[in-house]
Amino acid sequence: DALQKMSDKTGISVEGLQRLRVAGDDVGNTLEDVTSAVNMMQKRLGGGDQSALGALKDLGVSFEEIKGLSPDRQFIQISDAIRKIEDPMRQAAVAADVFGRGAAEILPLIKRGMDDVKDSAVSMSGETVRALYRIGDSLGRFKREAKGVLGEALTTLQNRGGGVKE
């Protein structure tokens, strides 16, 4: 359920989210840390932020090339380019230009790299996650309806003196 909602919110496939979760877990980043950085990156680049676009140019990453990629692939490609910067101060500055204030949170992930997870298999397919999401929604509706019916029945019993005590 959470993966599907996060996918709907970020535009990242559930498979991509699972890969980012694995990469983040290895360095202590939550999936929310990573997706917040991805969202900020997209806002900055898509909104024409000059410092973000300038950082891409400095990294040798073409905006035209990455805009056709999925958000998680954009993040991985940009992170890989930032990781290659040897000067830690410049690395942090470029990451901030691209990812905004949240860059400091994800710097451990950027520095570690994601080579081992970017093409790895994931535990659940998008189809499985969507099916579980639908099941969760159905169970939630059933629970709400059951509470309503049970509440009505208990109130009726109590009003008739059916012995239900508070």
Side-chain angles (χ1 to χ4, degrees):
D1 191 45
L3 277 175
Q4 186 61 52
K5 286 179 182 177
M6 185 73 72
S7 177
D8 292 344
K9 183 177 173 182
T10 63
I12 301 172
S13 69
V14 294
E15 294 88 353
L17 288 170
Q18 290 175 82
R19 286 185 195 98
L20 292 176
R21 177 187 288 159
V22 168
D25 284 350
D26 286 349
V27 294
N29 286 126
T30 66
L31 184 57
E32 289 76 19
D33 293 337
V34 180
T35 56
S36 291
V38 171
N39 282 338
M40 182 57 70
M41 170 197 72
Q42 290 191 306
K43 286 178 188 173
R44 294 174 69 81
L45 293 174
D49 182 279
Q50 291 305 304
S51 63
L53 293 171
L56 275 189
K57 187 175 180 179
D58 288 347
L59 292 168
V61 176
S62 161
F63 176 72
E64 292 302 316
E65 179 184 331
I66 65 155
K67 79 177 185 180
L69 300 175
S70 64
D72 53 311
R73 295 292 177 174
Q74 292 171 348
F75 175 77
I76 290 170
Q77 185 169 339
I78 292 170
S79 294
D80 285 347
I82 292 171
R83 182 171 48 124
K84 293 175 185 171
I85 298 172
E86 292 185 22
D87 176 12
M89 289 176 61
R90 183 167 173 264
Q91 190 179 58
V94 171
D97 285 342
V98 175
F99 299 112
R101 289 176 285 175
E105 289 293 320
I106 59 158
L107 264 176
L109 176 58
I110 291 171
K111 289 179 180 186
R112 178 194 167 275
M114 291 170 272
D115 291 336
D116 59 339
V117 295
K118 65 183 171 186
D119 294 317
S120 64
V122 295
S123 57
M124 287 189 289
S125 70
E127 183 178 320
T128 299
V129 170
R130 285 186 292 281
L132 290 172
Y133 182 71
R134 288 189 301 273
I135 290 169
D137 280 353
S138 295
L139 288 174
R141 279 191 303 278
F142 175 77
K143 182 179 173 183
R144 286 188 302 275
E145 290 172 12
K147 279 184 178 180
V149 169
L150 183 59
E152 288 293 325
L154 290 174
T155 302
T156 301
L157 283 174
Q158 186 175 24
N159 289 341
R160 290 184 182 170
V164 177
K165 297 180 181 178
E166 293 184 29

